[in-house]
Amino acid sequence: MKNKLILLLAIVLAITFNSCDQDLAEINENPNNPEVVPTSNIFASATKQFTDFSRDAFNEGRLTLPWVQYWGQTAYADEDRYLYRESSAESIYRNTYLVATDFKAILDQNTNEETRGLAAAYGDNDNQIAASRIMLSYMFYELTNFFGDVPYYSYGSDNASFEGLNLDLTATPVFASQEDIYIDILKELRESADMINEGSVVFNSGDNIFGGDASKWKKFANSLILRVATTIKGVDNATYESAFDAAIASGVMTSNDDTAAQSYDTADANSSPLWGSFIDRTDFAVAAPFIDLLKGERGNFNPDPRLFKMAVPISEGIEEVKKGTAVVTEDYDDYIGIPYAFRNTNFLRNIAYSYPSSNVLKPDYKEVLMEYAEVEFLISERNGWSQTNYENGVTASMEKWGVDATDISTFVSSLPPANQANVLNQKYIALYMQAHQAYTEYRRTGFPNTLIQANEVVTLPQIQIDEQNTDEPLSSYTFEPGPVDPSVDDLPFRLRYPQVLQTLNGENRNTAAQGLSNGDLITSKLFWDVN
């Protein structure tokens, strides 16, 4: 009964801020004053919790990282074949709302007359409000892109359908339409950017994304507008253009120094989410389609030196990667990706594929929320596939990964001309390790066009034929998506609503499902998915 109650509170959002941050509250108890948890502590905890669950081994490692073929699993590749775990859908749904209550608590403290003055001790009130609204917008953007209509909360709207987080009004919130959510997210980001006071800090501590820099938060908000507006370009071009152009005028990211990323520590207790997944395991390797793209063997780009920063040669084991002692060569032949969704992957010895590099698998890896390179690719698209912005995006990405300046110049000068395919394929490379957004981009555009497709026959390299620990090694295989109903011949268009909602908020869940083209199935497209 106790577990059911906890789940109920999480799913229907009927949880209090104090329950989410009980430990923080105990640490900061003062018997002489009314208890108010410092907003800086709440913010530090909330941003970390968000990337902890969003980018972990299940919710990214076994979901979007393989779906967009950045990584593949080294054993039991069912999730690679779209048979994702119900626990991932439930975790993404539940934990988004749990963390959202923390950001709402910051909003409440900064708007309540009794606590506003206390909150001001930790940063400018308006800046704290703006940063929390930006993070809520980021989270709800991802959530609605996974499911479609969802319960939604807005700080600055009185839309009656926005019942999410209104715990005093309902325990069974309605699911707001995705169209309304998108329009409100754009409004929230616009108002957040405009309310930021660049002359004051956001938080004087606890901001592990920008260190309290208000100017960078403003650029982040405007850059997110570019991303969100571009997502609905195909269904609402007028909103896309007006929101995009206003954001450019207000100021977006202009260098890698502006990149939004959640910082982590070298200590295991505060390490990056995927680091813990490799402490005693070897579950993931870099997928063959991605490595082949970087080697110039798939697609129409020359060999890309970012490969040497993103992966290690097949001669290097996971222990060397974790220690940071892997010997990185610059011979493209030394890099081979794991066969994507290979049913015999359990029999493939680990000396036959490349692991992610120590630039990715390290305890203090920064989880990128949005980077400057993406901004340049978005502007290239807005400007009719501008060559200059396309080259700027590739350059920024290569600089971020630490590629030598001479190698950058050589590669950029060899780029095929800017067009939809070339810009979006390079954008895909730049989004490596930001798989949730790459998944949205693929659904919106159909790019990259370099992924292995359903029923495609894949020929294995000789070493992977030789290194199969079985009496009947395969020389080729067919990518067969999992047996879903109905069968799919492309990436899933969405996640199904968590099954527990049928019991806990069934009427509203059913209404939302009825609005989907094929009901609550992975074959129902979201409203912006018109490619």
Side-chain angles (χ1 to χ4, degrees):
M1 182 64 183
K2 179 180 178 182
N3 289 338
K4 184 176 181 181
L5 176 59
I6 292 172
L7 184 57
L8 171 63
L9 294 177
I11 293 296
V12 303
L13 322 179
I15 54 177
T16 64
F17 155 70
N18 286 334
S19 70
C20 294
D21 292 273
Q22 181 178 355
D23 293 339
L24 284 175
E26 291 174 356
I27 291 171
N28 292 283
E29 282 181 358
N30 182 341
N32 299 316
N33 291 316
E35 182 56 44
V36 177
V37 180
T39 52
S40 56
N41 288 14
I42 303 171
F43 195 82
S45 174
T47 59
K48 179 180 181 298
Q49 287 179 50
F50 172 62
T51 47
D52 278 355
F53 83 78
S54 170
R55 306 292 180 87
D56 70 11
F58 286 93
N59 299 342
E60 188 179 37
R62 290 180 175 85
L63 193 69
T64 54
L65 273 171
W67 282 7
V68 295
Q69 299 179 21
Y70 288 138
W71 285 10
Q73 293 187 87
T74 60
Y76 308 108
D78 284 349
E79 292 97 340
D80 299 16
R81 299 170 51 240
Y82 313 146
L83 297 171
Y84 71 90
R85 305 186 188 203
E86 169 67 14
S87 58
S88 288
E90 186 177 302
S91 171
I92 291 169
Y93 188 94
R94 179 184 68 246
N95 286 311
T96 296
Y97 290 108
L98 285 169
V99 176
T101 60
D102 281 355
F103 291 118
K104 185 175 183 298
I106 296 172
L107 297 176
D108 291 343
Q109 280 202 39
N110 279 279
T111 53
N112 187 303
E113 289 301 323
E114 295 182 3
T115 56
R116 182 175 172 85
L118 294 172
Y122 308 107
D124 181 274
N125 292 119
D126 286 346
N127 286 350
Q128 292 185 50
I129 292 171
S132 298
R133 293 172 78 178
I134 294 166
M135 288 304 302
L136 284 167
S137 295
Y138 190 100
M139 292 166 58
F140 277 112
Y141 170 79
E142 283 200 349
L143 187 70
T144 190
N145 286 346
F146 275 122
F147 296 103
D149 296 355
V150 292
Y152 176 70
Y153 167 79
S154 173
Y155 173 81
S157 173
D158 58 2
N159 187 319
S161 70
F162 295 165
E163 294 184 347
L165 306 187
N166 289 334
L167 309 180
D168 55 334
L169 298 179
T170 180
T172 54
V174 300
F175 287 49
S177 75
Q178 193 178 30
E179 294 92 329
D180 287 349
I181 292 172
Y182 258 82
I183 295 301
D184 193 74
I185 286 175
L186 288 172
K187 178 192 70 65
E188 283 290 292
L189 290 171
R190 177 73 274 133
E191 291 180 0
S192 297
D194 291 343
M195 78 183 297
I196 287 176
N197 177 8
E198 296 184 74
S200 300
V201 298
V202 178
F203 291 94
N204 51 29
S205 65
D207 176 4
N208 294 316
I209 297 175
F210 288 124
D213 190 321
S215 296
K216 292 188 184 299
W217 275 103
K218 182 170 185 173
K219 290 181 180 181
F220 181 32
N222 284 317
S223 300
L224 274 179
I225 290 174
L226 307 189
R227 175 191 282 184
V228 176
T230 302
T231 306
I232 61 171
K233 169 187 175 183
V235 293
D236 190 348
N237 190 66
T239 297
Y240 157 64
E241 291 184 351
S242 62
F244 196 107
D245 294 349
I248 292 291
S250 180
V252 296
M253 296 176 182
T254 56
S255 75
N256 283 325
D257 288 339
D258 295 329
T259 290
Q262 170 68 26
S263 297
Y264 282 90
D265 297 333
T266 54
D268 283 344
N270 292 308
S271 62
S272 61
L274 286 170
W275 171 254
S277 303
F278 278 86
I279 290 179
D280 298 309
R281 302 176 66 91
T282 56
D283 290 355
F284 309 103
V286 186
F290 187 62
I291 282 190
D292 291 347
L293 173 61
L294 295 175
K295 290 170 70 172
E297 297 174 356
R298 200 171 182 92
N300 63 335
F301 300 115
N302 283 347
D304 189 329
R306 279 173 291 189
L307 173 62
F308 311 135
K309 307 296 182 178
M310 295 174 170
V312 296
I314 60 173
S315 60
E316 301 304 297
I318 197 63
E319 289 304 317
E320 288 74 24
V321 172
K322 291 192 293 185
K323 293 176 183 176
T325 59
V327 177
V328 178
T329 70
E330 294 191 359
D331 184 344
Y332 288 92
D333 291 338
D334 293 342
Y335 298 77
I336 300 176
I338 192 164
Y340 180 70
F342 181 39
R343 301 292 290 276
N344 277 17
T345 188
N346 293 34
F347 301 114
L348 187 60
R349 296 183 179 92
N350 61 11
I351 60 171
Y353 47 77
S354 293
Y355 286 112
S357 75
S358 301
N359 293 321
V360 173
L361 294 182
K362 58 181 180 179
D364 57 348
Y365 175 74
K366 290 185 176 183
E367 288 290 347
V368 175
L369 302 179
M370 188 173 189
E371 65 182 87
Y372 164 56
E374 182 186 351
V375 170
E376 288 289 352
F377 291 122
L378 288 163
I379 297 173
S380 175
E381 180 171 352
R382 176 70 179 95
N383 291 340
W385 312 110
S386 157
Q387 181 75 22
T388 298
N389 298 114
Y390 163 56
E391 293 181 2
N392 289 346
V394 175
T395 299
S397 175
M398 300 186 95
E399 288 176 345
K400 170 203 159 183
W401 284 99
V403 176
D404 180 80
T406 301
D407 292 336
I408 294 175
S409 178
T410 299
F411 184 81
V412 171
S413 66
S414 74
L415 284 170
N419 58 29
Q420 182 186 37
N422 293 333
V423 172
L424 293 178
N425 285 339
Q426 279 297 325
K427 184 179 183 181
Y428 163 73
I429 295 173
L431 286 172
Y432 180 57
M433 299 311 298
Q434 300 169 65
H436 294 341
Q437 185 57 28
Y439 173 49
T440 293
E441 284 294 298
Y442 179 83
R443 289 175 290 166
R444 177 180 76 88
T445 68
F447 291 96
N449 57 4
T450 57
L451 302 185
I452 292 174
Q453 298 297 314
N455 303 312
E456 182 176 336
V457 176
V458 179
T459 301
L460 295 172
Q462 189 61 49
I463 189 173
Q464 293 182 342
I465 300 172
D466 297 339
E467 294 300 334
Q468 291 177 53
N469 186 25
T470 177
D471 293 335
E472 298 181 356
L474 298 177
S475 59
S476 64
Y477 70 99
T478 300
F479 169 36
E480 300 174 346
V484 295
D485 187 15
S487 61
V488 297
D489 58 6
D490 202 347
L491 269 68
F493 299 134
R494 60 182 291 275
L495 303 185
R496 297 180 296 271
Y497 290 121
Q499 293 175 6
V500 70
L501 287 178
Q502 297 181 31
T503 300
L504 301 179
N505 197 4
E507 182 177 353
N508 289 319
R509 175 262 173 207
N510 292 341
T511 299
Q514 290 167 9
L516 294 163
S517 59
N518 293 318
D520 188 16
L521 296 176
I522 64 174
T523 52
S524 287
K525 285 192 172 187
L526 304 182
F527 87 103
W528 46 258
D529 185 355
V530 294
N531 83 85

